Amino acid sequence: TGAISSLQRQMEIQESELRRIRSEKQMLQKQLREREVQLQAMSDKFCSLTEEQKQEEMMVMMEEENHNLQQVVTEQESQLAEQNKLISELQETISQLRAEVVTTRLHLLEQKQAKKEIQRQAEALQHKELQTRVALERISSKFERYRGKIIQATFSVEGSRDPPAELTDDEVLEAMQKIINERMEFQQMLKCKGSK
């Protein structure tokens, strides 16, 4: 937003300068027309003279005035050319500034849309995280119940000692494996004796 405001201020300054130069150009063109009118008036006056002396005096005056006017015209034409060149440069600068304003606005819009998309993704991830935590708690609860049942079944066998207060998973597996091995050995002994 600051960049856009700065570009718009620059554009206003350039447009103000452009208006001032156009005003000066109009003034120069008006002066040029006035000089041309004066030159035409002098020319008309010269044409109306009949006496030889007046004609000679007027010829000198006309030549001087004509020379002066030619210099003024040349200077004003040069100034007008410079003003036209400056106007073209200012118009080009204004066009560039306008293009920069449009580009900056598009960039800001893209950033805003990207921010919205990131917020949407973050909300989706938070929702998914919450669902995952709930599922994890449910699974953990089931696992603890299942583990408790295994411990109960393992150490409720006749002849088993009561388990310590805290059992690791390895200790539970070791106790289960021991019961399985004992049962397999017992079955093997029964087979050897011919019992079903």
Side-chain angles (χ1 to χ4, degrees):
T1 304
I4 289 175
S5 298
S6 176
L7 290 172
Q8 286 176 337
R9 282 198 297 273
Q10 290 182 33
M11 220 161 64
E12 288 171 2
I13 292 169
Q14 296 290 347
E15 287 175 345
S16 175
E17 182 68 13
L18 183 60
R19 286 194 296 272
R20 185 186 66 77
I21 290 170
R22 283 178 174 163
S23 176
E24 289 180 1
K25 177 182 174 181
Q26 290 175 354
M27 187 180 68
L28 288 171
Q29 288 175 333
K30 183 179 177 183
Q31 290 178 357
L32 183 60
R33 287 194 295 271
E34 289 174 354
R35 292 290 185 178
E36 288 174 349
V37 169
Q38 290 177 5
L39 183 61
Q40 186 61 41
M42 292 293 288
S43 177
D44 293 342
K45 190 174 180 181
F46 173 74
C47 292
S48 65
L49 292 176
T50 55
E51 296 180 10
E52 186 177 347
Q53 185 177 6
K54 287 183 179 181
Q55 287 182 354
E56 288 177 0
E57 289 177 1
M58 287 302 294
M59 180 67 78
V60 172
M61 288 174 61
M62 283 290 293
E63 286 177 355
E64 277 185 23
E65 186 66 20
N66 189 36
H67 179 69
N68 291 336
L69 286 172
Q70 287 294 337
Q71 284 184 335
V72 171
V73 167
T74 302
E75 290 174 1
Q76 289 185 345
E77 285 177 346
S78 176
Q79 289 179 5
L80 283 173
E82 289 178 3
Q83 297 288 351
N84 286 331
K85 181 181 177 183
L86 186 55
I87 286 170
S88 298
E89 291 173 354
L90 287 172
Q91 286 175 335
E92 184 178 352
T93 302
I94 288 170
S95 297
Q96 290 175 351
L97 289 172
R98 284 177 178 162
E100 287 178 19
V101 167
V102 171
T103 303
T104 305
R105 283 179 177 165
L106 286 173
H107 185 59
L108 287 173
L109 181 61
E110 288 172 358
Q111 285 183 335
K112 189 175 180 181
Q113 290 174 343
K115 185 179 178 182
K116 284 183 179 178
E117 179 62 20
I118 289 170
Q119 287 176 342
R120 188 190 65 77
Q121 291 178 0
E123 289 172 0
L125 285 172
Q126 286 175 349
H127 182 66
K128 191 171 183 181
E129 180 188 7
L130 181 61
Q131 289 179 330
T132 304
R133 283 183 179 178
V134 170
L136 181 61
E137 287 174 3
R138 191 181 298 117
I139 291 169
S140 297
S141 177
K142 285 183 178 180
F143 174 75
E144 287 300 324
R145 286 199 302 271
Y146 182 64
R147 189 174 184 271
K149 288 179 180 179
I150 291 174
I151 292 171
Q152 185 180 1
T154 301
F155 290 96
S156 65
V157 176
E158 187 178 350
S160 297
R161 291 175 300 176
D162 291 336
E166 289 291 333
L167 281 174
T168 64
D169 293 341
D170 289 337
E171 288 172 339
V172 174
L173 289 172
E174 185 179 346
M176 287 179 66
Q177 189 65 47
K178 183 179 179 183
I179 291 171
I180 292 169
N181 290 339
E182 288 175 352
R183 287 190 177 186
M184 288 177 67
E185 288 174 3
F186 183 67
Q187 285 177 354
Q188 190 66 30
M189 285 172 60
L190 291 176
K191 283 182 183 179
C192 291
K193 292 180 179 182
S195 175
K196 291 182 180 180

